[in-house]
């Protein structure tokens, strides 16, 4: 039992301001929530993956998300899988949220209708601000604006932009074509690799003028994180063939270019990031959803990039779980590699505690960012941060119990993890 030491540290941690390193929250004009009701909101992200893992069929999940059906009919579909998933990190975060935000003991058959009524009656825009500012004490969140970008509230957010359309142009299952978007943004046809490079650099300048503080890639969802150096001639020839097929309509869903073009463009993006001194966020470890190739996301695959671009600050997401030991070694070995605990506290709360303890043993603590909510809806951010504060306090209290440092030092380290480190890493003090 950690007793009074834990209580003292937690009391201090609960009062600390937070820099939130990663969010997917609504941010455009008129956007403030994801679902029309409580099930539509809470099943948008994370929890639905555990429900499917527990046996919920995808067609039943679609039924549970359908707002045209009666709420209790949809709850009947979800309930058996919720009951076996509610003790995972994803489930616990939401039970904590409804307890502290809405005043209900838990999400269950007896509360779901009243909870839904409370959800629908709130002003969602005011609610988002209330949760982030008043309940969470989050000073700024780093918002993932995706490939496109849109307006955002600078009182709530700074932004990370994904240049993935340029690294891996693609067509998705809805028919969204990133080369079409690039040509529209570029104002001209993309006829060569040089055009693609010019379009990227032009859009980057636009994003910088809009105040982005980082670049981000999530390509581990669709390919391995190993990016080899490819010579210009090879990439140019490959892209020419790809663009010819694309103009002829001879393409399928997925990447529009071969891997050598993707690798070439990744290295070019990093060269520019080095020149601009931009933070580069990378999704490593577990992919959200159900069914993927986990080995694609091993942070060890990035080793060559850390060597080739020593002036780029690499922010490795999600502690790389289940490769958190590799993440620890990389951060220990490379001055330009930093650990980001976004998402980690709800993936596995116990692993987050053990991993943080390991990180503190092996890595200078100024290289660790302690929290990123990584949610599409704001109630989840509250539940996640509640758990993160306790995980951090628990790991630090154990260090005090082991005689590693004092309680006062533990509180100082906690402040660094939650505020000082991300503020410095993302250069927020300069904004």
């Amino acid at each position: 039992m950690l007793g009074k030491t834990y209580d003292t540290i937690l009391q201090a941690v609960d009062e600390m301001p937070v820099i939130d390193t990663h969010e997917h929250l609504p941010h455009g004009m008129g956007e403030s929530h994801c679902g029309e009701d409580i099930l539509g909101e809470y099943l948008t992200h994370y929890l639905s993956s555990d429900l499917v893992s527990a046996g919920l069929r995808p067609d039943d999940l679609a039924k549970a998300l359908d707002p045209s059906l009666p709420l209790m009919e949809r709850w009947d579909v979800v309930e058996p899988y919720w009951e076996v998933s509610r003790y995972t990190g994803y489930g616990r975060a939401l039970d904590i949220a409804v307890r502290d935000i809405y005043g209900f003991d838990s999400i269950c058959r007896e509360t779901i209708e009243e909870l839904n009524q409370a959800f629908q009656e709130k002003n969602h825009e005011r609610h988002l601000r209330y949760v982030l500012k008043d309940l969470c004490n989050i000073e700024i969140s780093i918002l993932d604006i995706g490939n496109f970008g849109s307006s955002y509230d600078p009182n709530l957010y700074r932004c990370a932009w994904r240049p993935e359309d340029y690294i891996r142009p693609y067509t998705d299952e809805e028919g969204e074509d990133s080369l079409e978007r690039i040509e529209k943004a570029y104002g001209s046809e993309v006829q060569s690799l040089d055009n693609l490079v010019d379009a990227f650099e032009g859009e980057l300048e636009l994003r910088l003028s809009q105040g982005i503080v980082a670049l981000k890639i999530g390509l581990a969802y669709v390919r391995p994180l190993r990016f080899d150096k490819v010579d210009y001639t090879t990439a140019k020839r490959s892209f020419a063939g790809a663009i010819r097929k694309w103009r002829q309509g001879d393409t399928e869903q997925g990447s529009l270019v071969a891997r050598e073009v993707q690798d070439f463009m990744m290295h070019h993006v990093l060269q520019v990031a080095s020149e601009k001194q931009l933070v580069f966020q990378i999704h490593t470890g577990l992919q959200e959803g159900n069914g993927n190739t986990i080995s694609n996301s091993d942070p060890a695959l990035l080793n060559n990039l850390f060597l080739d671009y020593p002036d780029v600050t690499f922010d490795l997401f999600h502690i790389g779980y289940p490769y958190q030991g590799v993440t620890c070694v990389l951060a220990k070995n490379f001055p330009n590699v930093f650990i980001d605990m976004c998402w980690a506290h709800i993936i596995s709360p116990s692993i987050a505690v053990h991993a943080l303890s390991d990180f503190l043993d092996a890595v200078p603590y100024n290289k660790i960012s302690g929290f990123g909510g990584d949610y599409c809806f704001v109630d989840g951010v509250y539940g996640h941060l509640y758990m993160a504060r306790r995980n951090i306090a628990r790991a630090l209290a154990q260090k005090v119990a082991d005689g590693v440092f004092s309680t006062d030092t533990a509180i100082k380290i906690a402040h660094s993890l939650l505020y000082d480190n991300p503020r410095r890493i993302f250069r927020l003090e300069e904004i």
Side-chain angles (χ1 to χ4, degrees):
M1 295 292 292
L2 299 176
K4 290 184 178 179
T5 301
Y6 170 76
D7 292 341
T8 300
I9 295 171
L10 179 59
Q11 182 178 357
V13 168
D14 271 342
E15 296 173 356
M16 290 176 184
V18 173
I19 301 291
D20 176 347
T21 62
H22 182 53
E23 291 296 354
H24 296 276
L25 292 169
H27 57 280
M29 189 66 67
E31 296 177 357
S32 57
H33 59 108
C34 299
E36 294 183 28
D37 57 25
I38 195 71
L39 286 181
E41 182 96 342
Y42 282 14
L43 296 182
T44 299
H45 211 183
Y46 295 140
L47 176 61
S48 56
S49 298
D50 277 353
L51 301 183
V52 171
S53 179
L56 180 66
R57 296 182 307 181
D59 57 335
D60 284 334
L61 174 59
K63 181 178 180 180
L65 286 166
D66 185 350
S68 69
L69 298 175
L71 181 72
M72 291 310 295
E73 179 180 336
R74 294 152 61 205
W75 175 254
D76 287 340
V77 173
V78 168
E79 184 179 29
Y81 306 99
W82 162 244
E83 290 300 331
V84 296
S85 302
R86 69 184 313 149
Y87 305 113
T88 69
Y90 298 164
R92 284 153 63 185
L94 298 186
D95 259 345
I96 289 165
V98 302
R99 181 196 69 198
D100 291 357
I101 297 174
Y102 300 97
F104 294 93
D105 289 339
S106 65
I107 303 169
C108 61
R109 174 171 292 276
E110 290 71 32
T111 64
I112 190 67
E113 289 183 301
E114 287 185 77
L115 176 59
N116 183 57
Q117 183 176 352
F119 171 85
Q120 292 187 312
E121 288 176 351
K122 69 188 179 186
N123 178 295
H124 290 282
E125 186 172 349
R126 283 204 299 266
H127 179 74
L128 185 145
R129 186 177 297 272
Y130 165 70
V131 172
L132 291 180
K133 292 293 189 182
D134 297 342
L135 296 186
C136 292
N137 196 16
I138 293 174
E139 184 173 294
I140 285 292
S141 299
I142 307 299
L143 183 72
D144 183 339
I145 58 171
N147 297 329
F148 306 100
S150 62
S151 61
Y152 66 95
D153 185 342
N155 294 310
L156 299 178
Y157 305 121
R158 296 296 182 269
C159 294
W161 174 58
R162 296 195 189 199
E164 293 171 339
D165 278 359
Y166 297 95
I167 298 169
R168 182 184 176 271
Y170 67 94
T171 300
D172 66 19
E173 57 188 11
E174 281 84 34
E176 186 72 44
D177 190 311
S178 53
L179 278 176
E180 288 182 358
R181 189 198 74 80
I182 289 170
E183 289 193 333
K184 184 177 180 180
Y186 185 49
S188 180
E189 287 189 349
V190 175
Q191 298 180 335
S192 68
L193 183 62
D194 290 340
N195 292 154
L196 186 68
V197 167
D198 289 344
F200 158 67
E201 294 182 1
E203 183 160 1
L204 177 60
E205 290 302 320
L206 172 63
R207 300 303 174 192
L208 289 170
S209 72
Q210 295 170 342
I212 66 166
V213 298
L215 301 179
K216 187 229 170 162
I217 63 163
L219 291 172
Y221 280 86
V222 293
R223 55 153 291 165
L225 284 176
R226 172 74 187 189
F227 294 89
D228 292 312
K229 278 193 171 178
V230 175
D231 66 88
Y232 170 77
T233 302
T234 299
K236 181 179 180 179
R237 184 185 309 116
S238 180
F239 186 78
I243 203 75
R244 187 165 50 249
K245 289 180 64 178
W246 177 70
R247 294 205 182 282
Q248 293 169 351
D250 185 18
T251 56
E252 298 178 356
Q253 180 183 319
S255 178
L256 298 171
V257 299
R259 184 162 171 173
E260 59 260 27
V261 176
Q262 299 172 35
D263 289 6
F264 174 88
M265 285 301 300
M266 178 65 169
H267 280 266
H268 180 75
V269 168
L270 283 168
Q271 287 169 8
V272 176
S274 180
E275 295 165 6
K276 303 286 187 183
Q277 293 290 287
L278 286 169
V279 178
F280 207 90
Q281 299 181 316
I282 303 180
H283 176 106
T284 63
L286 177 70
Q287 299 101 336
E288 155 68 341
N290 301 95
N292 211 313
T293 304
I294 185 63
S295 58
N296 283 353
S297 65
D298 184 344
L301 297 172
L302 298 161
N303 201 133
N304 64 315
L305 302 184
F306 305 150
L307 288 166
D308 289 342
Y309 303 97
D311 293 329
V312 174
T313 297
F314 290 94
D315 185 43
L316 300 190
F317 273 12
H318 320 314
I319 68 174
Y321 176 83
Y323 304 106
Q324 62 269 19
V326 174
T327 303
C328 184
V329 169
L330 292 168
K332 184 177 184 68
N333 192 259
F334 289 95
N336 58 332
V337 174
F338 293 76
I339 299 170
D340 198 319
M341 297 193 74
C342 62
W343 192 17
H345 299 283
I346 54 169
I347 292 175
S348 171
S350 62
I351 289 295
V353 174
H354 292 307
L356 178 55
S357 181
D358 188 25
F359 298 157
L360 292 170
D361 281 344
V363 177
Y365 70 79
N366 67 335
K367 303 193 72 180
I368 307 166
S369 293
F371 176 74
D374 202 354
Y375 260 105
C376 288
F377 58 91
V378 73
D379 291 358
V381 177
Y382 174 85
H384 189 176
L385 181 55
Y386 180 96
M387 296 169 69
R389 291 186 191 271
R390 278 141 190 80
N391 288 347
I392 290 168
R394 188 168 291 110
L396 292 170
Q398 187 60 59
K399 294 296 185 198
V400 174
D402 292 343
V404 177
F405 41 64
S406 68
T407 299
D408 287 345
T409 298
I411 292 170
K412 176 184 174 183
I413 292 172
H415 198 279
S416 293
L417 300 179
L418 288 171
Y419 186 81
D420 300 328
N421 292 348
R423 187 169 186 263
R424 185 194 71 257
I425 291 165
F426 293 99
R427 302 182 182 90
L428 298 179
E429 67 275 11
E430 300 174 6
I431 298 173

